[in-house]
Amino acid sequence: MAGMDYGFFDGVFVPLDEAAAALDDRSYVLGDGAFEVTRVYGGRCFALPEHLKALRYSLRELSIPITYMDEELTAIHEDLIQKSGIQDGLIHLQISRGLGSQSLAVPPKVVPLLSATIRQLDAPEQAGGTLPGIRAIFAEDIRWLRCDINSLNRLGNVLPREEALRKQAEEAILFRKDTNLITEGTASNFFIVKDGLIWTHPADHDIRNGVTRSLLFSHIFPQLQLTVVEKAFAPAFALTAEEAFVTSTARGIAPVTKIDGHAVGDGSCGPITQKIAAAYGQYVAKRLHDKPQHGEFQANRGLV
């Protein structure tokens, strides 16, 4: 039986249909904050330490104080799973700069505000053991120049994703107009396979170095003895690839089989992408099996 969408707001767990946001929360009025999304498989968080490390990076870059210990954040994630009953889903945790003025100037002594939600996410079915491919379009990357920060300002991601959906595609592959070079997807990192090599944009300020991307570099690519070229390339070059795929917390590894109506390779999930996805799936299963348990969150533990 499916669980219930659930939330954690300012120290209280509550069903989402009973939650309310403060109108002077700077995340609400200015997008002033950072977020991280963690995948839940079989009632367990996957790669939560890496997600918390990424969250702390974004907060430091935004000069937002970090007022929760990792143990507290871990307990919040696990309590959301327990209280919601959701076994497979996504936990979205965000920390805003806090309650205060709608002015661009940061008010003095503002205290960061944490909120989190868990929602059901059904994994896509595989047909005959083959990963289902997704369709994509190319779209101009109109985001700010600090895409390495998981900021709450997301209009630059929303608009190209909406353009993709209008064109019956699931993702937009972004490129900078001034350089004609691909960066990443609206909510994913983008890779192509050409002549046996993996190509992807380097992890700099132009992209979000996602947790799934990082795990491929640290564990999967070395295991499969794959050579990776971290170099930006143009949309025309991507269309000459034999394979393409995106990585994200929600999708894991997803083959891109068509871009702007053009088939990538033979239009199906290629053998290298299939091997990467299989190895990643095994890695996920092993980590979940080895994962230790943690205690419940206690609101009166205090801040650090």
Side-chain angles (χ1 to χ4, degrees):
M1 185 176 68
M4 175 192 302
D5 291 345
Y6 222 80
F8 177 84
F9 295 88
D10 198 20
V12 178
F13 291 96
V14 60
L16 285 191
D17 57 4
E18 299 178 11
L23 294 181
D24 60 345
D25 184 347
R26 289 178 67 86
S27 69
Y28 181 73
V29 296
L30 294 170
D32 188 3
F35 77 97
E36 195 67 27
V37 178
T38 303
R39 187 72 161 87
V40 176
Y41 295 97
R44 292 193 168 198
C45 288
F46 172 67
L48 183 55
E50 288 89 341
H51 284 290
L52 295 183
K53 180 179 179 181
L55 176 67
R56 291 181 181 280
Y57 170 81
S58 294
L59 292 172
R60 284 195 301 269
E61 294 300 301
L62 295 174
S63 298
I64 294 177
I66 303 170
T67 57
Y68 282 82
M69 296 181 291
D70 278 1
E71 291 80 4
E72 293 177 296
L73 296 175
T74 298
I76 289 170
H77 281 72
E78 296 188 347
D79 281 2
L80 280 172
I81 295 171
Q82 189 274 325
K83 293 177 186 298
S84 68
I86 290 176
Q87 294 295 294
D88 294 282
L90 292 174
I91 294 179
H92 180 286
L93 182 142
Q94 72 177 45
I95 297 180
S96 79
R97 198 174 300 275
L99 305 180
S101 169
Q102 297 183 13
S103 167
L104 296 180
V106 177
K109 300 181 180 179
V110 64
V111 178
L113 180 65
L114 182 149
S115 61
T117 61
I118 183 170
R119 298 179 186 273
Q120 186 79 27
L121 178 68
D122 297 322
E125 295 183 4
Q126 298 185 22
T130 301
L131 289 172
I134 66 171
R135 295 158 295 180
I137 65 168
F138 289 125
E140 182 183 350
D141 193 341
I142 58 174
R143 302 172 299 168
W144 70 325
L145 297 180
R146 287 302 308 274
C147 297
D148 54 311
I149 299 173
N150 235 9
S151 161
L152 295 175
N153 291 282
R154 303 282 283 170
L155 274 179
N157 305 71
V158 169
L159 296 180
R161 174 63 72 87
E162 283 300 300
E163 180 185 352
L165 294 176
R166 287 196 302 269
K167 295 179 178 179
Q168 287 75 55
E170 290 83 23
E171 179 62 296
I173 307 303
L174 306 177
F175 66 93
R176 293 288 185 183
K177 189 174 182 179
D178 56 341
T179 62
N180 194 40
L181 295 176
I182 290 172
T183 50
E184 59 185 341
T186 63
S188 63
N189 293 119
F190 180 63
F191 298 77
I192 65 169
V193 180
K194 186 172 174 63
D195 299 326
L197 301 176
I198 311 293
W199 291 70
T200 193
H201 196 287
D204 58 19
H205 64 84
D206 283 331
I207 73 164
R208 160 76 171 164
N209 185 18
V211 168
T212 307
R213 179 189 190 277
S214 297
L215 292 175
L216 290 188
F217 272 88
S218 61
H219 294 84
I220 307 306
F221 292 153
Q223 172 189 333
L224 298 177
Q225 297 184 325
L226 294 171
T227 301
V228 185
V229 180
E230 289 189 86
K231 184 177 181 180
F233 49 87
F237 184 77
L239 292 177
T240 68
E242 293 97 42
E243 304 176 38
F245 61 93
V246 293
T247 64
S248 69
T249 294
R251 288 192 171 114
I253 316 298
V256 177
T257 54
K258 187 174 287 188
I259 305 178
D260 277 349
H262 300 282
V264 178
D266 64 5
S268 65
C269 178
I272 293 180
T273 302
Q274 194 74 30
K275 288 179 182 179
I276 293 170
Y280 182 73
Q282 293 169 3
Y283 174 77
V284 171
K286 183 179 186 304
R287 277 196 61 170
L288 291 173
H289 180 269
D290 296 340
K291 178 181 178 297
Q293 296 296 311
H294 296 269
E296 291 187 355
F297 170 74
Q298 300 295 329
N300 61 356
R301 285 180 182 172
L303 303 180
V304 294

